Amino acid sequence: MTQPPAEGPRSAKQGLARPDASMTSYGELYAPAGRQHAVPTTDMTTSDAASGAQTGAEEPINTHGGDKPKAGAARHRRRPGTRHLWAWAVIPAVGGIAVGVAWWLLAPGGRNLLSGNPAFGTGADPASWLPRDLTLAALFLLPGCFTAVLLDGRQYQRHPVWRLLLAVIGSATGAALAWGTGVLVGHWWAGPVDTSANPSIAFSLRSWTVLLVWPGSLALSAFILSLMGAGRAQGPDAA
């Protein structure tokens, strides 16, 4: 009877067999329910946290809320209303030309539409010299007070001092242009006048202080309106 060959002694390396990956280990077999997926859950949580940290580093969180402001809009908000400041000086200066034409049309010695007195049709009568200056003063008073009302209506906007300063400068320039325009229009449309007896016979301005009526009325009216506005603002608090 043939006996199977005797197996030789196994080495230490051959005796330790590698466990199969598909076989359930002893710890997983007898582990309580709920702990069997602890290792995969931990791995997934760690990977998700790592990916979230990487995403957070790439995209910063906006803590202020809303959309990110554009660079052009932020640059535009730094200079609110500065583009329209020069209009307070340019518009009165250009308006002085129209005021000069109206002065010659209305005043004695010019077209004399205001009084209609034939004796004041020319500047030969000394009694027409004062009404001629007063007509220009009245024409200066109206735009000065009107501009002050506009300034008071915009007092809560920015740059109030600059607006007032530019308006005064524009009014002074407009007064000078009105005087020069009136004299020039009188020379063009009325023709040359004999001024040998008195230079005031020609259509001109005798009192130079009339030129201060436009900027002076503007500054004074703006000051009075600002005081009235301050009184109205302090009224409810004082009560």
Side-chain angles (χ1 to χ4, degrees):
M1 201 173 166
T2 306
Q3 295 182 354
E7 296 180 359
R10 295 182 180 179
S11 61
K13 296 182 178 181
Q14 294 178 355
L16 298 177
R18 295 182 180 179
D20 191 359
S22 62
M23 297 177 62
T24 304
S25 63
Y26 179 80
E28 294 180 357
L29 182 62
Y30 294 96
R35 294 184 57 186
Q36 297 180 2
H37 301 282
V39 176
T41 305
T42 305
D43 296 338
M44 294 176 60
T45 306
T46 307
S47 61
D48 294 341
S51 62
Q54 183 179 0
T55 305
E58 294 176 357
E59 299 180 0
I61 300 175
N62 186 10
T63 57
H64 299 284
D67 299 335
K68 297 180 180 179
K70 297 182 179 180
R75 193 181 306 111
H76 179 71
R77 286 196 297 267
R78 295 191 188 102
R79 298 175 298 175
T82 55
R83 297 179 300 175
H84 306 289
L85 283 178
W86 290 105
W88 294 98
V90 174
I91 293 178
V94 176
I97 300 176
V99 173
V101 175
W103 176 40
W104 184 84
L105 292 174
L106 298 177
R111 186 65 66 179
N112 194 23
L113 297 178
L114 188 61
S115 65
N117 189 356
F120 290 168
T122 61
D125 190 357
S128 65
W129 298 345
L130 180 60
R132 185 174 60 193
D133 291 356
L134 293 179
T135 302
L136 184 59
L139 292 174
F140 285 165
L141 189 64
L142 293 177
C145 296
F146 180 72
T147 307
V149 172
L150 292 179
L151 288 171
D152 183 70
R154 295 172 174 263
Q155 63 181 347
Y156 296 107
Q157 294 186 359
R158 295 189 177 184
H159 314 293
V161 178
W162 281 107
R163 286 189 288 109
L164 178 60
L165 181 61
L166 290 174
V168 171
I169 294 175
S171 299
T173 306
L177 288 176
W179 164 65
T181 302
V183 173
L184 189 62
V185 168
H187 180 73
W188 284 349
W189 294 354
V193 179
D194 185 13
T195 58
S196 58
N198 196 311
S200 297
I201 296 177
F203 191 83
S204 60
L205 184 65
R206 287 178 56 87
S207 178
W208 297 97
T209 56
V210 176
L211 298 178
L212 301 177
V213 173
W214 193 346
S217 62
L218 168 61
L220 182 61
S221 300
F223 177 72
I224 294 175
L225 290 175
S226 64
L227 290 180
M228 294 174 60
R232 289 193 301 266
Q234 294 179 359
D237 298 337

